[in-house]
Amino acid sequence: MFENLFAKYARAISDENKRRELYAMYRLKIISLAIFLVLSIAMLVETFVFDPITDPKLLDIAFAVFGVTMLLWLVSAAVWLVCAIKFRLRYRAILNAPASAGEMPEVVSYRAKVRAGRKLTKPVIAGIIALVAGGAFLIFAIFYDTFTSPDSQELGFLTNIAIYVFAVCFAAFLLLIFFSEYSKASAGRTTEMQTESESAAIDAASGRVHRYSLKSDKNAQSYRYLFPDESLRGEAEVVKARMQKFTTIAAMSSAIASLILCGVLFAPFICAFEWSGYSVPIVITVITIAVVCAVIPFVKSLKRLEEEQKLQLESNPDFSLNLQIYHLYEAYSKGKGRVIYIFYALAAVLSYVLAALFPRTMLSLVGIIPLFIGIALNYVFVSQLRKSCLPIEEQIDKKAREEVVADGEDGEAEE
């Protein structure tokens, strides 16, 4: 069921029995994580759905349902944590294992590179600390309110605060993980990129289909073929690096700040959920404004460099293949590349509509569904674009190699 996801772990193991053992642990980890996430969402939804209830009988039922959900959530969190730690320790032992007799050298190299790439970055560490702190505070608040008000059928004051804190910490955890991976991909430092050659060799030897992945495509983040002029390419790469840095900072800071702001403004102990539904569209709006303001100056600079490079591509026949790639990217940016922005706009509009219709609930969360659909479609479209570019890039590389050989032969002839 999870074989494709497990492939990156399977490549590090030569022994079939060990591979099956690790796969069983991986399957338990994924299933327990899925259950934990579902229960986390259910618990947050129940908090907002049950709050308007005033009928004593319905309130008793709602309190019982929420209590069961919270108990299951705590159990699932513990199970997931145990499974994750157990899997991590086992996989670490495999990565640290010395080469065995008859083992493919690519497998040994793969383990070494994966081991080097598994070091936690500062954003990931910060996200883990935030998640653990938020979960610990929520558990403490539940027990505190339960012991101080054992007969109460409503969420306690501290528990209400803790739920918002946990939601903010959980969102911050996901954001920090996302931006950490985004930074690695932008710099061409993902583990998949570093191990692509080993992965292809191991999959071929194992009879496994080696599928194309954007995560392993270094050229997806490179200007190597779009800017054959090294001077212009250098300028473009500097602008791009600065744009990614400022965009990441703007997105992270605005996201965390907006989450904290909404947690304070729309908390039940301040406005009793009257306008809490607007928290989601406000977060989307704040992030959008921050990112757009950060990216606009750099987009203008890149556009100028692209136009300058395009003139060279069109005027020099030697760059005909590069011009083909440029046209592919240009067509993408004017067509399928706009899809993600359309879905982002739909997410913002839908979240505002739902907030206006149901201001006291968090149904506006449904508004972010179009955003995830847009991201998924964009991944598919970019993959298609890159697959169409790969054969042309191979021709460019082949042509460059032939020129090097020809130059070497000419040099020998002159001698």
Side-chain angles (χ1 to χ4, degrees):
M1 183 178 180
F2 305 109
E3 286 84 358
N4 290 336
L5 295 174
F6 182 71
K8 63 180 181 179
Y9 302 104
R11 296 187 185 109
I13 311 170
S14 299
D15 186 272
E16 181 64 26
N17 291 329
K18 291 182 179 179
R19 190 182 300 122
R20 290 178 181 174
E21 176 190 351
L22 189 68
Y23 177 68
M25 296 171 64
Y26 178 77
R27 188 169 49 196
L28 285 175
K29 186 189 79 162
I30 294 297
I31 293 173
S32 62
L33 175 60
I35 294 173
F36 169 71
L37 292 176
V38 169
L39 290 173
S40 297
I41 296 172
M43 190 170 63
L44 292 174
V45 171
E46 287 175 6
T47 301
F48 301 111
V49 171
F50 293 157
D51 179 70
I53 296 176
T54 55
D55 186 286
K57 292 183 179 179
L58 294 177
L59 193 60
D60 289 341
I61 296 174
F63 187 77
V65 171
F66 186 81
V68 171
T69 303
M70 187 164 291
L71 177 62
L72 292 174
W73 178 80
L74 292 172
V75 173
S76 69
V79 171
W80 168 57
L81 188 61
V82 170
C83 290
I85 292 174
K86 187 177 180 181
F87 176 83
R88 183 177 180 83
L89 292 175
R90 180 57 181 154
Y91 188 53
R92 180 187 294 177
I94 289 171
L95 293 177
N96 291 328
S100 58
E103 193 170 31
M104 285 181 63
E106 288 84 0
V107 174
V108 179
S109 176
Y110 182 86
R111 285 203 297 265
K113 290 183 178 180
V114 172
R115 186 169 61 246
R118 281 174 62 84
K119 294 180 180 179
L120 296 178
T121 61
K122 290 181 180 179
V124 173
I125 294 174
I128 293 173
I129 292 173
L131 181 63
V132 172
F137 180 52
L138 178 58
I139 294 172
F140 169 78
I142 293 169
F143 281 106
Y144 178 83
D145 285 337
T146 300
F147 283 115
T148 55
S149 304
D151 298 326
S152 176
Q153 294 184 338
E154 297 181 357
L155 293 176
F157 176 80
L158 192 62
T159 301
N160 273 314
I161 297 176
I163 288 174
Y164 274 88
V165 171
F166 175 75
V168 171
C169 291
F170 186 69
F173 168 74
L174 295 178
L175 286 169
L176 289 166
I177 294 291
F178 171 79
F179 285 119
S180 175
E181 292 302 310
Y182 171 77
S183 298
K184 284 184 178 180
S186 300
R189 293 185 291 103
T190 64
T191 301
E192 289 82 2
M193 291 179 183
Q194 302 296 324
T195 60
E196 172 60 14
S197 59
E198 288 87 353
S199 297
I202 295 170
D203 288 347
S206 304
R208 187 187 302 114
V209 177
H210 186 68
R211 294 180 172 83
Y212 170 84
S213 171
L214 276 177
K215 288 185 177 181
S216 61
D217 189 350
K218 289 183 179 181
N219 292 329
Q221 300 291 336
S222 171
Y223 287 144
R224 177 182 171 190
Y225 299 97
L226 286 172
F227 286 87
D229 186 306
E230 294 184 4
S231 177
L232 290 175
R233 187 196 310 163
E235 289 185 53
E237 288 175 346
V238 170
V239 173
K240 180 184 177 184
R242 293 183 63 194
M243 180 178 70
Q244 290 170 339
K245 178 181 178 180
F246 280 91
T247 302
T248 301
I249 293 173
M252 287 180 61
S253 58
S254 61
I256 295 174
S258 59
L259 287 169
I260 295 173
L261 176 65
C262 291
V264 173
L265 292 180
F266 303 130
F269 50 88
I270 292 181
C271 63
F273 286 122
E274 289 298 327
W275 305 104
S276 59
Y278 282 95
S279 57
V280 174
I282 284 178
V283 170
I284 294 176
T285 302
V286 171
I287 295 175
T288 301
I289 293 174
V291 170
V292 169
C293 290
V295 79
I296 283 178
F298 301 105
V299 169
K300 290 181 178 179
S301 298
L302 281 176
K303 187 66 176 177
R304 176 183 58 80
L305 292 170
E306 287 174 3
E307 291 175 353
E308 188 175 344
Q309 179 64 85
K310 184 180 180 181
L311 291 175
Q312 291 189 28
L313 298 181
E314 291 175 336
S315 60
N316 190 338
D318 291 338
F319 294 149
S320 59
L321 292 173
N322 300 85
L323 184 60
Q324 291 181 36
I325 294 177
Y326 185 93
H327 286 322
L328 288 173
Y329 272 86
E330 190 175 41
Y332 168 80
S333 64
K334 293 180 179 179
K336 293 180 179 180
R338 295 178 177 177
V339 169
I340 189 170
Y341 302 112
I342 295 173
F343 276 88
Y344 192 93
L346 287 174
V349 172
L350 181 58
S351 63
Y352 271 107
V353 170
L354 290 173
L357 294 174
F358 309 99
R360 299 185 74 250
T361 71
M362 290 299 291
L363 284 176
S364 56
L365 277 169
V366 176
I368 67 175
I369 292 178
L371 178 58
F372 290 110
I373 296 174
I375 292 173
L377 287 174
N378 187 65
Y379 184 91
V380 173
F381 294 152
V382 174
S383 296
Q384 292 173 349
L385 169 66
R386 289 298 307 146
K387 287 179 180 179
S388 63
C389 291
L390 292 177
I392 305 175
E393 293 173 357
E394 290 177 2
Q395 292 181 53
I396 295 173
D397 291 338
K398 181 181 179 181
K399 182 180 177 182
R401 289 193 297 269
E402 291 174 349
E403 289 176 354
V404 170
V405 172
D407 290 342
E409 292 176 350
D410 291 342
E412 290 177 359
E414 290 177 2
E415 290 180 0

